[in-house]
Amino acid sequence: MTPTGKLLLLSGLARRLLAAPSNHSLAAAGYSNSSSSNSSDVWSIGEGGVDDAGAASVSGRRGASSRRAGFAGYSAADVAAAAAASNTAGFRSLVVPGLTKEAAKPPLLRSRHPLTPRCDRMKPAHSSWPSVWPTARTFHPAAVPLPVRQGRPNNATENAGISPNKWGNTELIKVPNFLHLTPAHVAAHCAAIKHLCTPWPKALDEPGVIDKQLPLLVVTTDYLRSHHSIRDIRARRVDLSLCLDRLVKLDKRSLEKLLCLVSFSNFAKVDTQVVGSSRVRHLRMWSDRCPWRFQNYDYLIYALSALYSQSLRHESWESGKAWIDNQRYEFDGSSSQKKLAKLANEPATNAVTHYRNALIKLHRQPENGGTGETHDSLRQYGRAVEFLLGIGKGGGGGGGGPVKKLDASSAQQTGQTKRTTERQAAS
Amino acid sequence: LLSRSIANWLLRRRQLSPFGACVNRRGGASAALLTDESAPERHSLDRHVGLLYRPEEADWQAVTRHFCRPELVRLFDTLGQRALMVRRPALEIGERLAGHAGDGRPCLRFVLYGRRGSGKSLQMGHVAAACRRRGWLLVTVHNAHLWMRHSRELHESAHRPGMFDTAGYGCIWLRHFYAMNQEILPGLRVTKELSWNAKESTPAGSSWKEVIDYALARPRYSCAAVQFLIDEIKLGSVPMPTLVCFEVANCLWWHRSGIKNDAIRRTPLQGEEPPWRADITAKQLTLLDAFKQLLDSDWNNGAAVMSVSPQGALFDRLREWMPRKLLGDEGFAYLDPFVPVYVEPYGPAEMSNMLNWYTESGWLTSEAAATDAGRAELAFLSDGNAGELLRIAGEW
């Protein structure tokens, strides 16, 4: 008996085992032949070598005569192969379907918890986000190492009252993300194209230089929004701004014509800023009439060119311009000037000057050099009228009727001096 | 406690507040300062500014009553006494008129402007009463803006083709004019023959009273009568100077009105709802146009005092109260050259005096109104506006 056989005997496994010698010599000797010749016969559990005789019966029944029919469901070849595979000691091993532990096969279904997701395996020190997320792509919860949540539960029982996490969150997938445009990305992009750029001219940093060199200011706006569409209708608007002093060849008449043309348009205006004693005029235009931004820009450039060229042109019919067409109040040609002729007495020249100055100050807006209608300008106008008509407190004569001329002139002189000093102080 | 804190805060700000003087040094209200001078023409800038005066019965009934708001008239009836404040704008205008108007001199024009309730109409009333006592003829128009909101007996004009007559308002005005100038009118004679229609006419030399009686009997011709009388004034046939008082004068140049002309259909303005009928503006109303002629400067021996108010800016609800904005380019050019007169809010002395009088006369009944804090609060709430003070004091 082989040592294995002794062990089997001792362990009591001989009952169930049909110890077939595993060496091939036995098989080659015809054992399998004999078993194959009995392939039609089925070995039964109760028969064969499994009985109380144990090993003795095994050893005793080594002869062909003690051989019984083959195993149920297994051909002798399978058995032999399995035995050959498992039994290194030369014994046949009993394979009972359903009882014998089979060799580990690969599982048919995936398990519920696969490998650790990438986001949990990523280490900041070792990974570069631009290489993880190089381009714009739909949100992926396993790739984004952020514990983001999206959504609001309707009540305390839904999702335990907390916002759903990123796993399987369709809302996070639907919205646009900018994970492809982080500062790291931008830095990488800039680094990639830096060799194509030239440095910023230092001279442009000085104040006023950029307005001189680049007089045209174009303003466009981009809009971000969290919506299923990233389009925004407001992004088509283009604003253009230009200092009128930069337009050469614009003389007084052309400038007036330009201001007149601008006053008719609903997409352009002229802003006047009073800086000390000088006026700075800016032409501001805007366009959102075209669907695309570059179209609006082209339109504005065209409109600016047309405005400029037309204001330089002077047509023959422009000579028919009336007083009412003036851009700002002019005393000459006004009805007030005409009324001076209707006064009973001819007013003094300085009275007329005061009257004219007061009217100009009252009618012209601050950007045109006047003050507009204020208490001060009204009071000045009132004083000028009183002086003109001669009804002031101190003055006589002027526009009054049958008043003694001698007294009037002396009173008027004192009145004049008083008023001139007043007006000088006021202006 | 709250009034104490308000009082403290206001006392601290006394130096900065224009109403600081309302807080009386003695504490509480004191006697109102009245002047015995009941004749408006004798009020002077030196002595009477800021004082209250009691108008005489005749003046009140004939002139001043028409320039007051109904609330003020009711107040005087309730209290059984009347007191009006003498203020600077009226005295300045009065001074100019006394010195430079009348006696054949050209028409002077004054435009009173100020916020609503600041007292423009009462200043005009003071000037009108003073002129009436001097013997001037008064031509006063108080309701022009109401004439433009509602039409009474509107019909096409016979004496001015293409324009419209408002017969009802014409009659009312003639009656009012007669009541105001009862002493003067019998002496006035018409210098031209007035032909009402092809058949009827009033001969030259008839008195003004006859003309007015005729027009009151035949309301159809009331606006024509007004036009004839104004023509007489402009011709210079009136021996005494004429004062024209026109409240809310800016309605004469306003482009809208409340009266629609069904005969004219026009294209609708943007966003306008039907019916698209034309407004009958002041230019098309004979009555208003007649008074507008009096505001021109081409006649002698008279003066015109006007006020401009946002009440005349119909349907725009303007918050403007400056004359040029309310008159517009056309109105300003028509009235130019005129003297704008600002009716400013009450100063400290005026406010104090007014509160004293309200307390004395029994209009302010609450105890808080007699305290410093209460008076300061009244001054603050009304912001110096006379009309607002009248309204708010009614609640204290």
Side-chain angles (χ1 to χ4, degrees):
Chain A
M1 196 189 284
T2 57
T4 315
K6 281 181 189 162
L7 277 170
L8 285 169
L9 190 69
L10 287 168
S11 65
L13 286 173
R15 285 175 186 264
R16 290 206 221 135
L17 285 175
L18 191 64
S22 64
N23 47 1
H24 296 287
S25 58
L26 200 64
Y31 185 77
S32 61
N33 291 339
S34 61
S35 59
S36 64
S37 67
N38 294 330
S39 62
S40 59
D41 298 327
V42 178
W43 290 83
S44 61
I45 295 170
E47 294 172 280
V50 183
D51 68 354
D52 295 331
S57 61
V58 167
S59 57
R61 288 190 186 127
R62 204 164 275 193
S65 61
S66 61
R67 192 63 50 218
R68 291 286 187 144
F71 239 90
Y74 274 74
S75 64
D78 290 335
V79 170
S86 60
N87 194 351
T88 52
F91 282 96
R92 293 180 298 179
S93 52
L94 177 67
V95 177
V96 177
L99 285 178
T100 312
K101 262 197 182 163
E102 292 154 2
K105 288 184 191 159
L108 293 169
L109 294 171
R110 266 193 205 167
S111 77
R112 211 167 257 285
H113 299 285
L115 281 177
T116 319
R118 182 181 187 178
C119 55
D120 297 335
R121 282 182 282 136
M122 271 199 287
K123 291 184 179 49
H126 302 306
S127 62
S128 148
W129 180 247
S131 54
V132 174
W133 200 281
T135 53
R137 62 176 281 216
T138 325
F139 183 85
H140 194 293
V144 179
L146 301 170
V148 291
R149 291 180 180 271
Q150 161 77 7
R152 186 176 68 87
N154 281 328
N155 47 50
T157 51
E158 188 181 321
N159 199 42
I162 51 175
S163 294
N165 59 18
K166 61 180 175 175
W167 296 103
N169 196 330
T170 47
E171 301 303 321
L172 274 172
I173 291 168
K174 285 195 279 189
V175 297
N177 65 72
F178 295 94
L179 297 161
H180 59 289
L181 292 175
T182 57
H185 284 93
V186 174
H189 299 332
C190 291
I193 59 175
K194 199 168 182 121
H195 68 280
L196 301 167
C197 301
T198 53
W200 176 258
K202 283 276 185 282
L204 285 181
D205 288 334
E206 285 164 45
V209 174
I210 216 170
D211 290 332
K212 240 186 201 171
Q213 298 294 328
L214 307 164
L216 206 63
L217 180 70
V218 178
V219 180
T220 55
T221 315
D222 294 298
Y223 296 85
L224 291 176
R225 57 207 222 144
S226 65
H227 198 253
H228 59 259
S229 165
I230 59 166
R231 308 292 163 201
D232 200 310
I233 201 172
R234 299 171 289 177
R236 65 175 63 165
R237 182 181 163 122
V238 177
D239 286 76
L240 198 109
S241 182
L242 173 71
C243 188
L244 277 184
D245 302 335
R246 305 308 312 282
L247 288 175
V248 295
K249 296 194 286 185
L250 212 59
D251 60 339
K252 188 167 174 291
R253 191 176 164 194
S254 302
L255 180 65
E256 270 201 27
K257 185 169 179 189
L258 188 138
L259 293 173
C260 181
L261 288 170
V262 165
S263 70
F264 289 133
S265 77
N266 58 351
F267 63 95
K269 65 176 179 184
V270 174
D271 276 342
T272 316
Q273 290 162 340
V274 180
V275 179
S277 59
S278 66
R279 272 174 295 172
V280 174
R281 286 202 186 91
H282 284 274
L283 174 66
R284 301 198 198 278
M285 309 167 79
W286 58 90
S287 170
D288 60 354
R289 56 179 69 201
C290 305
W292 292 338
R293 187 185 283 167
F294 76 89
Q295 291 171 335
N296 284 313
Y297 175 75
D298 288 344
Y299 175 74
L300 283 178
I301 296 294
Y302 154 74
L304 177 63
S305 320
L307 196 64
Y308 183 53
S309 56
Q310 285 304 308
S311 53
L312 290 176
R313 270 181 80 91
H314 297 301
E315 310 281 349
S316 56
W317 44 260
E318 284 179 32
S319 56
K321 183 177 159 186
W323 178 83
I324 204 166
D325 296 321
N326 284 329
Q327 283 303 301
R328 60 178 194 175
Y329 178 80
E330 299 286 347
F331 180 73
D332 305 317
S334 64
S335 59
S336 310
Q337 194 188 39
K338 288 176 192 142
K339 279 197 181 177
L340 288 179
K342 287 192 206 163
L343 286 180
N345 286 10
E346 181 130 357
T349 13
N350 60 345
V352 174
T353 318
H354 288 312
Y355 179 60
R356 175 182 171 278
N357 292 342
L359 273 174
I360 284 172
K361 193 172 167 190
L362 178 65
H363 279 106
R364 282 191 193 166
Q365 298 305 314
E367 59 249 19
N368 283 328
T371 52
E373 191 179 20
T374 61
H375 285 303
D376 274 339
S377 57
L378 281 167
R379 214 177 297 132
Q380 185 177 340
Y381 169 72
R383 280 199 297 258
V385 168
E386 285 174 358
F387 189 32
L388 187 78
L389 301 176
I391 58 173
K393 271 196 255 182
V403 182
K404 301 188 189 80
K405 292 232 171 72
L406 211 60
D407 293 351
S409 55
S410 59
Q412 200 176 21
Q413 269 172 12
T414 50
Q416 275 171 29
T417 43
K418 187 169 87 170
R419 275 177 188 79
T420 17
T421 46
E422 264 180 47
R423 276 190 192 78
Q424 274 166 8
S427 61
Chain B
L1 264 159
L2 191 61
S3 64
R4 173 78 51 157
S5 60
I6 292 170
N8 288 338
W9 178 74
L10 286 163
L11 280 167
R12 262 183 269 120
R13 286 174 57 87
R14 195 169 52 179
Q15 298 307 317
L16 307 168
S17 162
F19 307 116
C22 285
V23 179
N24 203 312
R25 295 237 162 70
R26 281 199 299 275
S30 63
L33 304 168
L34 274 93
T35 176
D36 294 328
E37 190 59 77
S38 62
E41 79 267 18
R42 286 202 287 270
H43 294 151
S44 75
L45 272 165
D46 313 323
R47 286 175 292 147
H48 298 111
V49 174
L51 301 182
L52 293 159
Y53 81 102
R54 295 190 199 283
E56 283 180 22
E57 191 62 33
D59 280 346
W60 170 257
Q61 289 299 337
V63 178
T64 324
R65 176 172 60 99
H66 303 288
F67 288 95
C68 294
R69 275 189 187 177
E71 296 95 50
L72 190 62
V73 177
R74 272 202 298 273
L75 172 70
F76 290 157
D77 289 341
T78 310
L79 297 175
Q81 50 170 321
R82 302 182 197 111
L84 298 170
M85 186 166 283
V86 182
R87 297 177 73 190
R88 180 167 288 274
L91 296 179
E92 283 184 350
I93 296 177
E95 213 175 354
R96 306 279 190 282
L97 292 182
H100 305 285
D103 294 340
R105 295 200 200 120
C107 170
L108 295 180
R109 290 166 302 181
F110 300 90
V111 173
L112 288 158
Y113 70 97
R115 291 190 188 272
R116 284 189 71 165
S118 55
K120 303 183 287 290
S121 300
L122 271 176
Q123 297 301 293
M124 275 210 289
H126 187 284
V127 173
C131 286
R132 183 174 173 273
R133 292 178 77 92
R134 287 195 200 108
W136 289 34
L137 182 73
L138 291 182
V139 178
T140 61
V141 179
H142 307 283
N143 296 325
H145 57 294
L146 293 176
W147 294 349
M148 282 179 64
R149 274 182 199 270
H150 317 286
S151 67
R152 284 181 66 159
E153 297 155 14
L154 188 82
H155 60 88
E156 282 169 11
S157 176
H159 65 103
R160 292 190 71 175
M163 296 176 75
F164 294 89
D165 276 352
T166 49
Y169 294 134
C171 287
I172 292 167
W173 185 82
L174 283 171
R175 223 175 285 137
H176 155 80
F177 176 65
Y178 183 74
M180 197 175 276
N181 296 294
Q182 262 174 352
E183 298 95 17
I184 305 171
L185 277 178
L188 293 175
R189 300 274 154 195
V190 173
T191 52
K192 291 197 310 184
E193 188 196 356
L194 314 172
S195 60
W196 305 108
N197 53 26
K199 293 175 204 155
E200 297 178 45
S201 65
T202 309
S206 38
S207 71
W208 280 33
K209 189 175 183 312
E210 288 172 23
V211 175
I212 293 171
D213 285 340
Y214 180 85
L216 290 175
R218 301 287 302 276
R220 185 188 184 77
Y221 299 116
S222 57
C223 294
V226 172
Q227 180 70 60
F228 290 144
L229 295 180
I230 285 169
D231 288 341
E232 291 290 320
I233 293 171
K234 289 191 83 165
L235 276 174
S237 70
V238 176
M240 66 281 296
T242 312
L243 179 72
V244 182
C245 290
F246 202 111
E247 286 186 42
V248 195
N250 52 310
C251 72
L252 292 173
W253 294 280
W254 197 243
H255 58 91
R256 296 288 313 274
S257 82
I259 313 172
K260 299 286 185 194
N261 186 353
D262 285 303
I264 301 173
R265 301 269 154 187
R266 58 180 169 79
T267 50
L269 301 169
Q270 193 178 15
E272 209 186 6
E273 287 163 3
W276 300 303
R277 295 169 287 161
D279 287 346
I280 293 179
T281 56
K283 293 190 189 74
Q284 292 172 290
L285 290 171
T286 50
L287 196 61
L288 288 172
D289 198 70
F291 292 117
K292 191 161 95 168
Q293 293 163 18
L294 266 185
L295 299 182
D296 208 348
S297 63
D298 58 356
W299 57 286
N300 290 330
N301 205 14
V305 180
M306 296 155 265
S307 78
V308 288
S309 165
Q311 280 184 314
L314 292 161
F315 306 117
D316 266 0
R317 283 179 275 277
L318 284 179
R319 294 193 174 273
E320 310 287 348
W321 48 276
M322 293 288 222
R324 197 178 142 251
K325 284 209 178 64
L326 283 173
L327 290 170
D329 288 336
E330 199 189 336
F332 192 95
Y334 189 90
L335 293 177
D336 190 42
F338 64 90
V339 180
V341 181
Y342 179 43
V343 180
E344 52 205 0
Y346 281 151
E350 286 176 330
M351 174 64 80
S352 173
N353 204 9
M354 209 67 212
L355 288 171
N356 289 342
W357 185 74
Y358 280 144
T359 316
E360 233 180 51
S361 61
W363 187 231
L364 286 168
T365 52
S366 130
E367 300 90 31
T371 62
D372 286 352
R375 290 161 65 86
E377 189 171 333
L378 277 167
F380 174 77
L381 287 173
S382 61
D383 199 23
N385 193 295
E388 278 298 305
L389 181 64
L390 172 63
R391 203 177 54 79
I392 291 165
E395 296 163 17
W396 279 54

